[in-house]
Amino acid sequence: NSQALRDIAAALPADRILVETDAPYLAPGPYRGKRNEPAYVTETAKMLAHTRGVSIDEIARQTTENFFRLFSKVPRELPGVA
């Protein structure tokens, strides 16, 4: 609900953004009043995409790239996962 946070999110360089939840607290709008779950991170990503004026696919691509750059020891492909 914070316009100040949305303004910051819109102005941040794309290569510096990650998406997270506040699980188990502060569930996003559609789930307000319920226990927050990591699966609700998609709602945060949707709001970020809307705020930045880009597609959810672009947010997913960019934040995935940012994650692997930040956590460079994590293999991009896990053994045994198709």
Side-chain angles (χ1 to χ4, degrees):
N1 290 335
S2 171
Q3 184 60 47
L5 286 176
R6 285 192 295 275
D7 292 345
I8 291 168
L12 286 171
D15 67 343
R16 299 291 190 257
I17 297 174
L18 295 173
V19 181
E20 66 165 356
T21 68
D22 289 325
Y25 308 105
L26 197 58
Y31 305 101
R32 193 71 54 160
K34 297 180 180 179
R35 178 183 169 95
N36 199 4
E37 301 289 336
Y40 300 163
V41 74
T42 57
E43 295 301 323
T44 304
K46 287 177 189 175
M47 179 56 73
L48 181 61
H50 175 75
T51 298
R52 293 180 65 83
V54 299
S55 70
I56 186 68
D57 289 339
E58 175 58 19
I59 290 295
R61 185 199 65 73
Q62 184 68 60
T63 56
T64 299
E65 285 297 315
N66 295 348
F67 170 86
F68 283 112
R69 193 176 58 259
L70 180 61
F71 299 101
S72 60
K73 292 185 179 183
V74 176
R76 286 188 176 256
E77 295 185 22
L78 298 174
V81 177

